[in-house]
Amino acid sequence: MEVVVGVDLGGTKISAALVDESGNIVADVRCHTQVEKGREFVIEQLTKTVGELFERAEGLGKRVLAIGIGSPGIIDPDSGVVVKAAVNLPQWEGISLKRIFEERFNVVAFADNDVNVMALGESLFGVAKGLKNVIFIAIGTGIGGGIVVDGKLYHGSTFTAGEIGHMTILPEGPKCACGNYGCLEALASGPSIARRAKEYIAKGVATSLSELVDDEITCEHVAKAASKGDALCRRLLEEAGRYIGVAVASLMNVLNPDCVVIGGGVAQAGEILLTPIRHEVALRAISPAPVLQSLLRENAGEIGAAALAFSKLAEKD
Ligand SMILES: [Zn+2]
């Protein structure tokens, strides 16, 4: 049987897997990204990880057809070149991820932005399976997005399409990492939710979070407390959900998708976050589409990268 290798290159870890044409993981390898040792070292880590998977494939009697890579930053999908590196992988600008793998492993390789490939993964193998027009939003440390139109990723003219986290939601809102004010990311990312929690605690609002040290409060703490009924934490997630819902409704009005998939760590909060998103969509979207929780979750990166490889191979046929 035939498989592809899907690689998720991240600032903290590299996850790679052999994935079959139904999107099942046949084997996987993970390692900690040692960014501090420099780019060449990380490239060695990447090729060693993928090399291990080629050996595993041989042992299993499976042929590797292609390699797909999801990377942070802005990626030219044709050349596989990192056009603009992400802050957590600063030395990657100008290198072709595609070429590194093709030269080393002698199979075709394809590279794209990590959240873009997750969008493709959800539409090929995940909760949006079989749907052609899909918007994926990853809500975690930041907020990223990917747009699938007619079964293919939409990149825009300079490959930056899908930066949903930097849609302005509140023009006078809090400052965003990008330098602007009131971006969705500054209102609804994990760190933004945690920051709001700390602000309320400082004002003396009662919450079970107060038992924790202020500095250590994360969005996971907020989500956990909310699931146990903490009123402030529920309110914080509902507030974030409303902002996300405003953005999602606008996206629906512009792109008229089949569905919108919400993923990333913050999405693990589930219905507490999804209900206010759906509420805003019902109020604001001209043609409301389903808002679904990601199915691929922690494997979204590798399976998404594999989806990129499979869809590119299908384009060539
Ligand atoms: Zn921004």
Side-chain angles (χ1 to χ4, degrees):
M1 209 173 80
E2 291 160 334
V3 291
V4 300
V5 172
V7 184
D8 181 27
L9 167 62
T12 54
K13 70 177 191 328
I14 294 167
S15 311
L18 290 178
V19 178
D20 71 17
E21 59 195 354
S22 303
N24 300 308
I25 291 181
V26 177
D28 61 350
V29 183
R30 272 157 203 252
C31 69
H32 171 68
T33 316
Q34 292 182 276
V35 180
E36 67 285 355
K37 294 197 174 170
R39 188 177 79 185
E40 293 309 313
F41 188 87
V42 177
I43 290 173
E44 274 311 306
Q45 283 192 295
L46 276 170
T47 50
K48 189 167 166 273
T49 305
V50 173
E52 266 179 56
L53 286 173
F54 269 75
E55 282 171 23
R56 299 271 286 275
E58 203 180 334
L60 293 163
K62 295 180 192 299
R63 190 163 75 95
V64 178
L65 297 176
I67 302 169
I69 308 123
S71 163
I74 298 165
I75 317 293
D76 176 340
D78 297 319
S79 63
V81 168
V82 180
V83 177
K84 191 170 190 312
V87 281
N88 54 358
L89 286 169
Q91 303 168 312
W92 290 78
E93 218 143 282
I95 70 154
S96 171
L97 294 166
K98 177 180 167 71
R99 207 169 59 214
I100 288 172
F101 287 98
E102 287 185 342
E103 283 174 358
R104 191 70 71 102
F105 295 102
N106 216 17
V107 295
V108 282
F110 308 97
D112 210 315
N113 169 270
D114 50 0
V115 185
N116 279 354
V117 303
M118 289 178 199
L120 206 55
E122 291 291 346
S123 83
L124 222 62
F125 301 128
V127 70
K129 190 174 174 177
L131 299 178
K132 295 268 181 206
N133 301 306
V134 176
I135 298 171
F136 175 76
I137 307 178
I139 305 165
T141 313
I143 295 184
I147 301 167
V148 177
V149 177
D150 219 5
K152 288 183 185 171
L153 279 168
Y154 176 75
H155 293 93
S157 63
T158 58
F159 321 120
T160 66
E163 288 290 351
I164 291 164
H166 302 290
M167 287 172 74
T168 301
I169 303 297
L170 282 181
E172 323 294 336
K175 192 167 187 181
C176 180
C178 74
N180 287 325
Y181 291 85
C183 293
L184 181 62
E185 182 169 300
L187 295 164
S189 65
S192 309
I193 294 168
R195 192 198 65 231
R196 294 282 287 153
K198 288 178 209 164
E199 284 169 8
Y200 278 108
I201 289 168
K203 283 185 202 161
V205 176
T207 163
S208 58
L209 285 178
S210 307
E211 293 154 23
L212 301 160
V213 181
D214 270 17
D215 289 350
E216 287 175 359
I217 289 172
T218 64
C219 185
E220 286 85 67
H221 294 132
V222 174
K224 202 170 168 191
S227 71
K228 289 180 181 164
D230 185 281
L232 173 68
C233 293
R234 288 190 74 92
R235 200 168 98 203
L236 290 171
L237 286 173
E238 281 162 10
E239 193 177 272
R242 266 204 309 279
Y243 290 131
I244 298 163
V246 168
V248 168
S250 294
L251 289 164
M252 284 182 186
N253 288 344
V254 176
L255 292 164
N256 186 210
D258 298 318
C259 73
V260 172
V261 180
I262 309 290
V266 177
Q268 308 279 338
E271 291 304 316
I272 301 174
L273 188 76
L274 292 173
T275 302
I277 297 176
R278 291 179 182 132
H279 181 73
E280 292 302 322
V281 164
L283 285 176
R284 297 170 194 274
I286 290 163
S287 180
V291 176
L292 310 168
Q293 189 170 1
S294 156
L295 193 67
L296 305 177
R297 307 215 179 169
E298 62 269 25
N299 299 117
E302 306 97 284
I303 295 178
L308 174 71
F310 277 120
S311 74
K312 288 283 186 180
L313 288 173
E315 273 176 39
K316 287 189 165 185
D317 288 344

